Amino acid sequence: MSQQSNLAVATEAPDRAVPRLGGGRRRNSWRRKEAVAGYVFLLPWLVGIVGLTLGPVLASLYLSFTKYDLLSAPRWIGLQNYVNLFADERYLQSVRVTLVYVFISVPLKLAFALLLAVLLNRGLRGLNIYRAIYYVPSLLGASVAVAVVWRQLFSGDGAVNAVLRHLGWHNPPDWITSPHTAIYTLILLAVWEFGSPMIIFLAGLRQLPHDLYEAARVDGAGPIQQFWRITLPLLTPLVFFNLVLQMIGAFQSFTQSYIVSGGTGGPVDSTLFYTLYLYQQSFGELHMGYGAAMAWILVAVIALFTGGLFRTSRYWVFYQDQAR
């Protein structure tokens, strides 16, 4: 290349750089506008998470260290609310009732859901109809209407006692008003809400490899052995998933106890769920600081139980990828 041509290229280079810089500025401007538009679309969510979730959470944490009754300004009392809780007999009773409810209702619900899922997985005709029918209780179980119906069914002159008298039990108890049986009616109501875990189990059953069952049948394994040796181990991830969800939901149960006991937790505080006592203290007695302390203890307990399940899952949850 001649010296003249090199000189021409050198003199033209700055002129060519100008449009590239202009294009970069336009791209940067377009990216800024795109980012602004993205933040504008995110703004409603940010306002909601800060104003309706994060703000109230931090406010409740602060109120748990105060004495606050909605009518006067909060007064800082430190850990006094937390100390008072462990000297409150009704609070301790609500803890006992809630633990009984969680430890009985959750395993029963999961076992019943798994049993029905196994039955529905046996190639029944009209499976989709049965699946929809069995899922309905999950949609209605925690509603006020179903809790009212449940109270009528298990009252002294309800349908359950009518059936029992017809079967020969002349003097059945009033299941709702007896402190020995009232909690079990709520546990039965919780078990009746088996639809959601059943759908998850049924989806898992339909994904299990058939060649394992064929090999087991060749080796002479019966249905019960196939269930304990193949089905249940392969379903343990779903059992773990359902267990975590149902446990958290059981700790937060409120509507059933509120409706069936008329908001009192009776008889003799036998159905006094933790959340019901929290509601009574916060909105009945206006002990907002006390209720906030109860709420944070509940959060800590749920986190503790959930963390314990995750910690122990390595010993009983089997993932197929681990075997490869």
Side-chain angles (χ1 to χ4, degrees):
M1 183 179 291
S2 65
Q3 292 182 353
Q4 291 180 348
S5 61
N6 290 338
L7 180 61
V9 171
T11 54
E12 289 175 359
D15 296 334
R16 292 174 182 170
V18 170
R20 284 202 295 269
L21 289 175
R25 291 194 191 98
R26 283 196 295 272
R27 283 196 295 272
N28 290 335
S29 175
W30 180 80
R31 287 172 180 169
R32 280 196 296 272
K33 290 179 180 178
E34 191 177 39
V36 170
Y39 284 117
V40 169
F41 280 107
L42 281 175
L43 189 59
W45 180 83
L46 290 173
V47 170
I49 195 68
V50 173
L52 301 178
T53 302
L54 186 59
V57 166
L58 295 177
S60 71
L61 179 60
Y62 166 73
L63 291 176
S64 69
F65 298 104
T66 67
K67 185 176 183 180
Y68 181 48
D69 59 0
L70 285 179
L71 303 176
S72 56
R75 182 166 59 86
W76 182 268
I77 57 173
L79 295 173
Q80 193 59 48
N81 284 328
Y82 294 92
V83 174
N84 292 341
L85 282 172
F86 295 97
D88 185 345
E89 284 298 327
R90 291 201 76 204
Y91 171 77
L92 297 178
Q93 172 65 12
S94 71
V95 172
R96 285 192 287 268
V97 170
T98 304
L99 289 178
V100 169
Y101 178 78
V102 171
F103 284 120
I104 296 179
S105 67
V106 173
L108 286 179
K109 181 194 289 189
L110 295 185
F112 193 57
L114 179 57
L115 175 64
L116 277 182
V118 171
L119 294 177
L120 288 177
N121 193 45
R122 303 180 72 84
L124 295 176
R125 298 180 63 182
L127 178 60
N128 292 333
I129 297 175
Y130 290 120
R131 190 183 305 168
I133 292 173
Y134 287 127
Y135 189 66
V136 168
S138 290
L139 302 177
L140 303 176
S143 68
V144 173
V146 171
V148 170
V149 172
W150 211 257
R151 185 175 60 186
Q152 297 300 322
L153 285 175
F154 286 92
S155 62
D157 55 351
V160 172
N161 277 354
V163 173
L164 292 176
R165 291 190 185 96
H166 182 73
L167 294 176
W169 191 350
H170 299 292
N171 190 24
D174 188 338
W175 305 95
I176 298 296
T177 59
S178 170
H180 303 292
T181 58
I183 185 63
Y184 298 107
T185 62
L186 300 184
I187 290 173
L188 189 59
L189 175 57
V191 175
W192 188 66
E193 304 166 18
F194 60 86
S196 178
M198 183 205 69
I199 292 295
I200 296 174
F201 283 138
L202 187 57
L205 286 170
R206 301 182 75 81
Q207 301 299 322
L208 296 182
H210 295 284
D211 53 342
L212 294 178
Y213 292 95
E214 292 173 359
R217 280 192 290 271
V218 170
D219 290 340
I224 296 177
Q225 288 178 310
Q226 292 176 27
F227 175 80
W228 288 108
R229 300 286 185 178
I230 300 175
T231 304
L232 192 57
L234 293 180
L235 283 181
T236 49
L238 296 182
V239 174
F240 174 68
F241 176 77
N242 277 328
L243 180 60
V244 172
L245 288 187
Q246 297 303 322
M247 182 202 66
I248 294 174
F251 270 114
Q252 297 175 325
S253 295
F254 171 80
T255 306
Q256 302 92 327
S257 173
Y258 182 83
I259 297 301
V260 172
S261 69
T264 63
V268 200
D269 289 341
S270 60
T271 60
L272 185 64
F273 282 0
Y274 193 98
T275 51
L276 178 58
Y277 189 53
L278 190 158
Y279 173 81
Q280 290 178 349
Q281 286 295 318
S282 300
F283 299 99
E285 304 293 335
L286 296 183
H287 296 160
M288 288 295 179
Y290 199 74
M294 288 183 63
W296 276 98
I297 289 180
L298 179 61
V299 170
V301 169
I302 291 176
L304 183 65
F305 275 86
T306 305
L309 287 177
F310 273 92
R311 188 72 176 175
T312 59
S313 64
R314 68 180 70 175
Y315 301 110
W316 61 275
V317 178
F318 174 75
Y319 295 98
Q320 294 188 54
D321 294 341
Q322 295 175 344
R324 295 175 182 175

